[in-house]
Amino acid sequence: MMISKGIKGITMTENDISIIHPRPSSIVAALYTLRDLNVDVAILHGPPGCSFKHARLLEEDGIHVVTTALDENGFVFGGRDELSSLLQKANEMFKPKLVGVVGTCASMIIGEELHEPVMDANLEVPVIEVEVHAGYPNNTKGVLMALESACEVGVIDEQELRRQRSLLEEATNVEMSHGAASREYLAPSRGDVKYKVAEKVYNLLKEGKSCLTIMNAKKETGYMFADITIAINEVAAELGMQGNVINMANIDACVGLPRVRQHATNISNDIRKKNVTIHEIIGGMDEYPIAGDKVTKLIDEKYKEFDFAVISGVPHAIPMDHLGNMQVISVTNGPRQVLPLKEMGHEHVIVEIDLHPKTLGVDSIVESEFGATLREVAKDMMKNKRKVV
Amino acid sequence: MPQRRIAIYGKGGIGKSSTASNVAAACADEGYKVMIIGCDPKSDSSITLLGGRRIPTILDLLRQKVDIDEQAIVHEGYKGVKCVEVGGPEPGIGCAGRGIIVAIQKLRQMCKTIDDMDLIIYDVPGDIVCGGFVAPIRKGLVSEAYILTSGEYMPLYAANNICRGLVKIDTQLSGIICNSRIVTREEEIVRKFSEEIGSKLMAFIPKEQIVQDCERDGFSVVEKAADSSVADIYRELAIAIMSNEDSVMPSALKDERLRELTR
């Protein structure tokens, strides 16, 4: 980073790139964080269309999302009364135990305060106020603001806040070095054809190559990424090669917010039911930004000689340090992630399109496209083999 | 001694910045640690404490996208008074109200010395045209409000409206300051107004050329003409502010009564 000292006390940073593809929204990030904190209702204070798509998805995930629906008049006259009466209405309708209120660009620009209407509404349950807009370059800001406010009202403690803060910093670093924040513009891509890659994985397993599966998933996305680990193990078992597969996954159920721990428990149970062993737990489901170090260390100690690795979830958080000698296949749900992953040296990159919506509102593993493709490819290949015999 | 955090309101052009900087200078003379925060996009609140020098505003620096620390935004003026200017966008562009919100957030984040101050004066724009302009109060930064007015009808009308606004934002009024425009029965009118809204007249500042002369040279009258009688009045006002215990929720007058008062 180029740093030049300008005016006394001012540090100029010159490497800031201006990213021109749309970025994840801090408002939405705050909403998802409120969900992880188990609020029953999240109130968006702003225009009715703000965060529409995610609000809908979050309803699928079991929380109520409502809006003060500020209109042109609301922008001009403010919406203090609208917010306090909506708080009361939501309280009557949903009988929540915990409520979140989230700002939007419009309400924050006109200087709306969330605290006063919350006081006016005078609910008996705690209200987490997040004065956020979508103008922050890193959406982790929205997460952090929600967590800080949650800490203020006693929903989480200082220790968890500190833990989350350092995870978020790492998450931002990961995005800036190898993620969607790594360059000015990244075109979305569908990645490599799943059928071709599935064929390759099948053949590698059949040839008796040793395989490392690394699931490094962000929270609920693990419900689908875990299916890839399972599919590989199923195919390996059918080929009599299960002993060649070592599985790593970030499904430690002892860390993170309650909801995130529950995901880890659910996923662990499902994996066990499929007779798949996770040999190495590489962290909790919110520790995807820091699991890379652990993976690197484990590979260095035990798995250096492996032939290939299939990394799913947030593959760009796993350093290539000791993966250099392996063929790396990665599975992401970010269409803008394909190019950076290829540049890291991944031979194949697969995109699970629209993964996230399919992992909301579920409490057990859901089938992935790549997992399904691999299973079908294996079925066909084995059928053909029998025909030949 | 608890920290005093005051804002001076009043019709535009009535002399808020002059009063703020003279009070700041007088308090510094008394040995108090003082900070003045100019919240007007014109950013001229502290200029007479800095010998006529302009300092970079918080928003100037934010616009340049540089990392800001305390040194860059807090500048020492007369007798160590800490001067901060919020600044703003060019007139007619962007959103000055949002500017104040962002700048105040930045200031709170960056400025560690703010907690050590005995007196913090927020010099706010005359017209609270939108949500951003009440940010200092809304964010719990201001604990006492003063209103500056003359005995003329329009400034009193504005002062009366400000009283309504203060009630709305739940902020107490600590007193009225009269900045004379040489109107008939001026002191009597403003005193009466102060009493009828439930407050009190803190000071009557006569209109004197020397205040203007000092400002033209880039100084407060307290600094440049310390022996003048008007400097004495500012010093008395400063002492009155620092020992004031009489904050009230004002009750604004009906328009007819206000008109009657000024006739």
Side-chain angles (χ1 to χ4, degrees), chain A residues 127-314:
Chain A
V127 179
I128 303 172
E129 301 158 15
V130 196
E131 290 197 350
V132 65
H133 55 65
Y136 302 101
N138 300 311
N139 70 332
T140 44
K141 180 79 181 172
V143 181
L144 192 59
M145 290 170 102
L147 291 167
E148 280 167 353
S149 183
C151 186
E152 265 168 43
V153 295
V155 175
I156 59 168
D157 59 21
E158 282 284 344
Q159 197 187 343
E160 181 63 22
L161 178 61
R162 271 198 301 277
R163 177 178 170 276
Q164 295 281 348
R165 198 176 268 144
S166 71
L167 287 175
L168 291 168
E169 252 168 53
E170 285 306 316
T172 304
N173 289 340
V174 165
E175 287 315 305
M176 290 204 288
S177 43
H178 296 295
S182 61
R183 67 193 61 200
E184 280 188 337
Y185 180 73
L186 280 164
S189 158
R190 300 209 149 213
D192 294 324
V193 176
K194 292 187 182 70
Y195 177 80
K196 289 282 177 199
V197 182
E199 218 172 45
K200 179 155 193 175
V201 170
Y202 177 84
N203 285 328
L204 286 168
L205 287 169
K206 194 176 154 210
E207 288 160 22
K209 303 283 190 209
S210 51
C211 168
L212 211 50
T213 75
I214 306 169
M215 176 179 107
N216 186 37
K218 178 177 175 181
K219 303 191 281 189
E220 66 271 13
T221 64
Y223 284 119
M224 189 177 278
F225 285 122
D227 180 59
I228 289 158
T229 299
I230 292 170
I232 291 169
N233 280 270
E234 282 172 2
V235 171
E238 279 168 42
L239 290 166
M241 300 289 184
Q242 199 162 17
N244 286 348
V245 183
I246 289 290
N247 303 303
M248 300 185 184
N250 64 328
I251 49 171
D252 184 349
C254 303
V255 290
L257 301 176
R259 196 180 186 105
V260 174
R261 292 181 192 211
Q262 189 59 49
H263 296 326
T265 305
N266 294 343
I267 291 169
S268 298
N269 290 342
D270 281 4
I271 290 176
R272 199 171 315 118
K273 273 184 229 155
K274 296 280 183 183
N275 291 320
V276 174
T277 308
I278 299 298
H279 305 85
E280 309 283 2
I281 304 279
I282 54 171
M285 300 206 74
D286 57 5
E287 292 184 327
Y288 59 93
I290 57 166
D293 288 343
K294 196 152 185 189
V295 172
T296 300
K297 205 160 155 256
L298 282 167
I299 293 174
D300 189 37
E301 283 167 6
K302 305 191 209 170
Y303 310 113
K304 241 189 287 193
E305 308 302 325
F306 271 57
D307 296 309
F308 75 108
V310 179
I311 314 176
S312 70
V314 187

Side-chain angles (χ1 to χ4, degrees), chain B residues 58-101:
Chain B
I58 300 178
L59 292 175
D60 279 343
L61 298 175
L62 286 174
R63 179 168 27 217
Q64 293 162 29
K65 301 205 166 156
V66 290
D67 289 336
I68 296 172
D69 65 9
E70 183 165 344
Q71 270 187 312
I73 53 175
V74 182
H75 297 260
E76 281 200 7
Y78 174 68
K79 292 229 171 139
V81 174
K82 296 196 185 292
C83 304
V84 177
E85 291 288 350
V86 161
E90 279 176 55
I93 301 173
C95 180
R98 181 70 200 166
I100 295 177
I101 297 172

Side-chain angles (χ1 to χ4, degrees), chain A residues 5 7-13 16 76 80 105 107-113 116 131 133 136 141 145, chain B residues 56 61 64-72 95 97-98 101 105 109 130-132 135 138-139 168-169:
Chain A
K5 283 275 176 192
I7 311 168
K8 196 169 103 187
I10 298 168
T11 315
M12 191 97 71
T13 50
D16 293 339
V76 176
R80 178 173 174 166
C105 297
S107 59
M108 292 299 100
I109 290 170
I110 65 168
E112 288 282 278
E113 288 282 317
E116 289 168 355
E131 290 197 350
H133 55 65
Y136 302 101
K141 180 79 181 172
M145 290 170 102
Chain B
L61 298 175
Q64 293 162 29
K65 301 205 166 156
V66 290
D67 289 336
I68 296 172
D69 65 9
E70 183 165 344
Q71 270 187 312
C95 180
R98 181 70 200 166
I101 297 172
Q105 275 172 358
Q109 209 176 32
C130 74
R138 284 281 178 86
K139 301 284 176 193
K168 201 152 225 166
I169 55 180

Side-chain angles (χ1 to χ4, degrees), chain A residues 34-72:
Chain A
L34 289 173
R35 174 212 53 188
D36 288 341
L37 292 163
N38 285 333
V39 303
D40 305 291
V41 182
I43 298 179
L44 277 160
H45 186 37
C50 182
S51 307
F52 165 74
K53 191 172 171 187
H54 288 279
R56 284 280 299 275
L57 290 171
L58 282 162
E59 295 253 1
E60 303 281 318
D61 217 13
I63 76 167
H64 302 283
V65 183
V66 292
T67 171
T68 51
L70 291 189
D71 57 6
E72 202 76 89

Side-chain angles (χ1 to χ4, degrees), chain B residues 105-173:
Chain B
Q105 275 172 358
K106 196 80 195 167
L107 180 66
R108 288 175 84 184
Q109 209 176 32
M110 287 298 142
C111 185
K112 305 289 170 244
T113 48
I114 200 162
D115 297 330
D116 304 331
M117 295 294 118
D118 299 312
L119 174 69
I120 301 170
I121 304 174
Y122 289 87
D123 186 17
V124 287
D127 302 301
I128 303 177
V129 290
C130 74
F133 286 68
V134 286
I137 286 191
R138 284 281 178 86
K139 301 284 176 193
L141 298 179
V142 170
S143 50
E144 298 173 57
Y146 288 90
I147 300 175
L148 189 69
T149 180
S150 69
E152 297 161 296
Y153 176 71
M154 289 313 284
L156 276 171
Y157 181 81
N160 200 39
N161 269 339
I162 291 164
C163 289
R164 291 201 183 96
L166 289 176
V167 174
K168 201 152 225 166
I169 55 180
D170 201 21
T171 300
Q172 296 205 317
L173 176 65

